[in-house]
Amino acid sequence: MSEKKLPIKTLAKNRKARFNFEIEDTIECGIELQGTEVKSVRAGKVSFGDSYCRVRNGELFLIGFHIGPYEHGNIFNHEPDRDRKLLAHAQEIKRLKRRIDERGFTLVPLSVYLKGGMVKLELGLGRGK
């Protein structure tokens, strides 16, 4: 049984991440987005800044990731700097938590892209240089 290759369109890359961190492993996660956030991400209004990921209560959260407000939005526009939940398998989250706790690694977002119409985030498990 062969898998179809879904088209991937890179929306933004975190260039500072590979400069500041020695990336050892990468994983792909989905992002739980609200309302107009998807349209802003598709328009490329994202900023990595000093964003990182943290494991809270067995769930992954993206902290410090800025998604600019959608310019055609109304009063129901999203909050640009809120913490966003990442979608990953429970076993992957446990494995990442162990590696972060034991060896002093950090989870850093590397890129945001569209894969089959879904917004995905590539996370890197890295150690500061």
Side-chain angles (χ1 to χ4, degrees):
M1 184 193 242
S2 65
E3 285 186 34
K4 287 185 178 179
K5 292 282 185 183
L6 296 174
I8 294 175
K9 179 184 176 191
T10 303
L11 301 172
K13 284 191 175 199
N14 188 358
R15 291 186 208 102
K16 282 174 59 179
R18 293 201 187 267
F19 182 76
N20 293 333
F21 293 92
E22 186 179 317
I23 305 299
E24 190 171 294
D25 193 15
T26 62
I27 68 162
E28 177 184 80
C29 295
I31 311 175
E32 192 175 272
L33 298 175
Q34 297 176 347
T36 55
E37 287 179 329
V38 176
K39 291 185 178 189
S40 290
V41 169
R42 283 178 179 261
K45 293 185 172 192
V46 296
S47 173
F48 290 96
D50 292 326
S51 58
Y52 62 97
C53 295
R54 174 151 294 150
V55 179
R56 279 193 233 144
N57 300 326
E59 296 178 329
L60 269 176
F61 285 91
L62 180 61
I63 300 165
F65 186 71
H66 179 84
I67 298 178
Y70 184 58
E71 51 197 39
H72 299 296
N74 52 18
I75 59 169
F76 300 111
N77 230 341
H78 64 274
E79 183 183 331
D81 293 317
R82 71 178 181 88
D83 294 351
R84 292 170 178 85
K85 185 177 174 183
L86 297 177
L87 309 172
H89 292 282
Q91 293 300 318
E92 280 183 328
I93 295 172
K94 287 178 187 174
R95 181 179 59 85
L96 290 172
K97 174 122 176 83
R98 270 195 310 271
R99 292 187 72 186
I100 290 168
D101 292 344
E102 289 174 6
R103 302 192 191 112
F105 284 101
T106 305
L107 274 175
V108 184
L110 299 176
S111 65
V112 176
Y113 54 92
L114 289 173
K115 184 175 181 182
M118 305 295 272
V119 178
K120 302 284 184 176
L121 180 78
E122 183 181 27
L123 285 179
L125 189 65
R127 187 186 312 259
K129 286 186 179 176

